[in-house]
Amino acid sequence: AFVASIDWEAPDWKAIHNQTREFEKQWHNIGPTDRKTRKPLKKRFKQAMDQLEPKLEQERRRNQQFRERLIEKAQATHDIDNMNDAIEQVKQLQSQWQVTVPSDRRVERQLWKNFRSTCDVVFERRKQQQEERRREQQAVIEEKTALCEQVEALAQLDNAALQHAAPELK
């Protein structure tokens, strides 16, 4: 009944995946049966679930390939010189990252780790640029502060000392 109710033209893969997990959970929570009836019931349950599995596996592979392409696109942002453009593209890629039907946990963790580390390269590059700008600004501030102190010291001199300090004043 569940399989028949699915709109296969626009399936909600997350809902389908969650429902199949719920069916399996309910199956295991119902409790044990005697040996005589267990085998035919288990076979019947498996046949019902096998109607969904090929479609879920197909979507699982499609979604994994889509996310692998997102990782490749994120890696391509490393070559973008304009940091604002690179950041914007990475954010767009992050918004597209969606798991419809998850794979094995190990595979999912590795995909996510690869994606995050690839995105982090761009954010780290921006952080380094910002730090470099901050250091440059601090150097300018220190230089200007030193110049102010020199001018203030010269302003304190009397006329005779000021005449001797004329080259420094220039």
Side-chain angles (χ1 to χ4, degrees), residues 11-123:
D12 181 351
W13 291 110
K14 286 183 181 182
I16 295 168
H17 173 71
N18 290 338
Q19 185 59 56
T20 58
R21 290 182 67 202
E22 184 61 31
F23 285 145
E24 289 170 351
K25 185 178 168 184
Q26 288 175 5
W27 177 259
H28 291 291
N29 288 340
I30 288 174
T33 58
D34 65 10
R35 195 171 206 199
K36 189 176 184 179
T37 57
R38 179 178 1 178
K39 195 169 186 177
L41 283 173
K42 189 173 184 178
K43 182 179 177 183
R44 185 175 171 196
F45 180 73
K46 184 177 177 345
Q47 286 174 339
M49 295 300 285
D50 283 350
Q51 293 177 46
L52 290 169
E53 191 51 41
K55 294 178 184 198
L56 288 170
E57 182 58 33
Q58 182 180 5
E59 174 58 19
R60 188 177 292 119
R61 274 186 265 126
R62 186 208 63 79
N63 184 247
Q64 184 174 344
Q65 290 169 353
F66 173 75
R67 290 181 287 148
E68 287 169 351
R69 285 191 302 275
L70 287 180
I71 293 169
E72 291 169 5
K73 289 178 182 180
Q75 289 170 340
T77 63
H78 298 176
D79 299 329
I80 297 174
D81 291 331
N82 184 323
M83 188 51 58
N84 290 334
D85 290 345
I87 295 289
E88 187 57 36
Q89 285 186 27
V90 167
K91 286 181 179 179
Q92 287 176 355
L93 294 172
Q94 287 176 332
S95 71
Q96 294 174 28
W97 185 275
Q98 292 182 6
V99 179
T100 54
V101 180
S103 297
D104 177 67
R105 283 186 181 160
R106 255 183 319 110
V107 172
E108 290 299 325
R109 269 193 303 257
Q110 190 60 47
L111 277 172
W112 179 246
K113 181 181 175 185
N114 291 346
F115 184 65
R116 284 302 312 162
S117 64
T118 301
C119 292
D120 287 346
V121 168
V122 175
F123 292 116

